[in-house]
Amino acid sequence: MPMHSTIKSVNWHITPRCNYRCRFCFAQNFHDGTVPYDKGLEILEILADAGMTKINFAGGEPLLHPGILDYCRESKKLGMTVSITTNGSKLNPSKIRKMAGIVDWIGLSIDSSLDTVEAELGRGTGNHVSNCLESAIYLHQAGIKLKVNTCVTALTFQENMIPLIRMLNPDRWKVLQMMHIDGENDFARDLEISAGDFRYFVERHRNVLLENGTSPVFESADDMESSYFMLTPGGFVKSDAGRKVTLYPLDEVIEKGIDNFVSEMKYQERGAIYEWS
């Protein structure tokens, strides 16, 4: 029997493929390929049996995975809340309509209010913000909840993102300090910011109140380390303890207890569990 813990959500980086080249991305250098579809279904069942009630499909760019909507549908059948974190470039009204009813949340990664800055970060080629604004309209119309994920870097920590957030009107806004992971985003060390720089951004945005009455969620690099339950495309559990990558077989993690690989205390303290259903 799986050993259950207070950790109830999992991030599966379902594919290493991506059409963007975000310089600071820590989800790089995956050394395992994507699993066959049937194996993926087995992984979903293992996660549900282990007590996961929310799954977030990430990447790479998860919308490049040909079976992504099938995985979402099967996850819903297993009783999980389903989320996709995407750069938004593959979203369109037709795809969003297909997601309605099987995808509960879409997380759009938006790190700057300026398309020129996003392009400099490697997120698109100059129309990322405008694309996300358009997609937000269709997501709201389809009844899919919108989360905005913002990674704060040396290029953006002095920005005021409040006007853009007002236009996007998300149900949740998560603000993350750029995190360096050995061997993954070493080439982006120039984008790192200090704890003080991150606090500067936080203080400028701390009093933002979203239309649903919630406040932004701020996560420093220290908050994030060892506080996420993550799977690689091949279904291995990925640990970032010590800011370096270590992989463990999923079966081993479930047998020994997820809390031996992910800090339950830090998971709870960063507000990982919220009203996601």
Side-chain angles (χ1 to χ4, degrees):
M1 288 290 293
M3 296 178 64
H4 286 228
S5 74
T6 60
I7 295 167
K8 300 298 179 185
S9 55
V10 59
N11 288 275
W12 186 3
H13 294 269
I14 197 168
T15 178
R17 294 180 59 210
C18 191
N19 57 330
Y20 278 11
R21 293 294 179 266
C22 303
R23 293 178 54 213
F24 53 83
C25 180
F26 68 87
Q28 302 187 67
N29 298 330
F30 289 121
H31 297 296
D32 55 353
T34 56
V35 296
Y37 182 68
D38 289 346
K39 176 63 176 177
L41 295 181
E42 292 177 12
I43 290 172
L44 293 179
E45 291 182 1
I46 291 171
L47 294 170
D49 288 343
M52 297 302 108
T53 60
K54 174 177 176 285
I55 185 166
N56 177 58
F57 293 102
E61 171 48 53
L63 295 183
L64 292 176
H65 191 291
I68 180 62
L69 293 188
D70 293 323
Y71 279 142
C72 291
R73 190 175 293 107
E74 293 303 318
S75 298
K76 288 294 287 184
K77 290 180 182 178
L78 290 167
M80 289 188 276
T81 295
V82 176
S83 171
I84 297 175
T85 295
T86 173
N87 60 39
S89 63
K90 297 300 179 180
L91 288 176
N92 56 56
S94 175
K95 180 159 286 186
I96 290 171
R97 284 193 295 270
K98 292 177 182 177
M99 291 177 174
I102 60 172
V103 177
D104 301 292
W105 290 81
I106 287 289
L108 289 177
S109 299
I110 309 172
D111 311 303
S112 171
S113 300
L114 304 173
D115 272 323
T116 52
V117 175
E118 291 284 37
E120 189 173 352
L121 288 168
R123 198 178 286 288
T125 56
N127 59 356
H128 178 69
V129 177
S130 52
N131 282 348
C132 287
L133 283 166
E134 183 177 2
S135 293
I137 295 171
Y138 295 115
L139 289 168
H140 290 311
Q141 291 175 348
I144 298 174
K145 292 183 179 181
L146 172 62
K147 181 172 78 166
V148 172
N149 294 321
T150 297
C151 180
V152 184
T153 70
L155 295 183
T156 62
F157 77 94
Q158 298 184 74
E159 272 199 42
N160 175 10
M161 290 192 65
I162 296 174
L164 176 61
I165 293 299
R166 295 290 183 220
M167 288 188 285
L168 290 164
N169 188 23
D171 298 278
R172 185 170 170 85
W173 184 26
K174 181 180 283 192
V175 179
L176 313 165
Q177 180 183 0
M178 185 224 157
M179 185 175 181
H180 167 245
I181 303 292
D182 284 341
E184 292 212 333
N185 55 2
D186 298 328
F187 43 81
R189 296 298 294 264
D190 61 307
L191 295 176
E192 280 190 278
I193 57 173
S194 66
D197 290 339
F198 185 63
R199 283 195 300 271
Y200 179 82
F201 186 94
V202 170
E203 290 305 317
R204 289 177 62 117
H205 300 85
R206 184 182 298 282
N207 295 324
V208 171
L209 195 65
L210 304 181
E211 284 195 12
N212 60 6
T214 63
S215 299
V217 177
F218 301 102
E219 295 183 14
S220 69
D222 288 339
D223 294 331
M224 288 184 280
E225 183 182 342
S226 300
S227 73
Y228 279 83
F229 183 25
M230 299 179 288
L231 299 187
T232 68
F236 285 85
V237 174
K238 175 184 175 182
S239 169
D240 59 13
R243 310 282 174 91
K244 62 181 181 180
V245 174
T246 307
L247 302 183
Y248 301 94
L250 177 59
D251 290 344
E252 175 187 337
V253 171
I254 299 300
E255 181 180 353
K256 292 183 177 179
I258 298 169
D259 56 303
N260 287 307
F261 299 84
V262 180
S263 169
E264 286 186 303
M265 182 182 71
K266 295 182 74 171
Y267 176 85
Q268 296 289 342
E269 287 180 346
R270 69 173 176 81
I273 294 181
Y274 55 95
E275 293 294 329
W276 56 52
S277 61

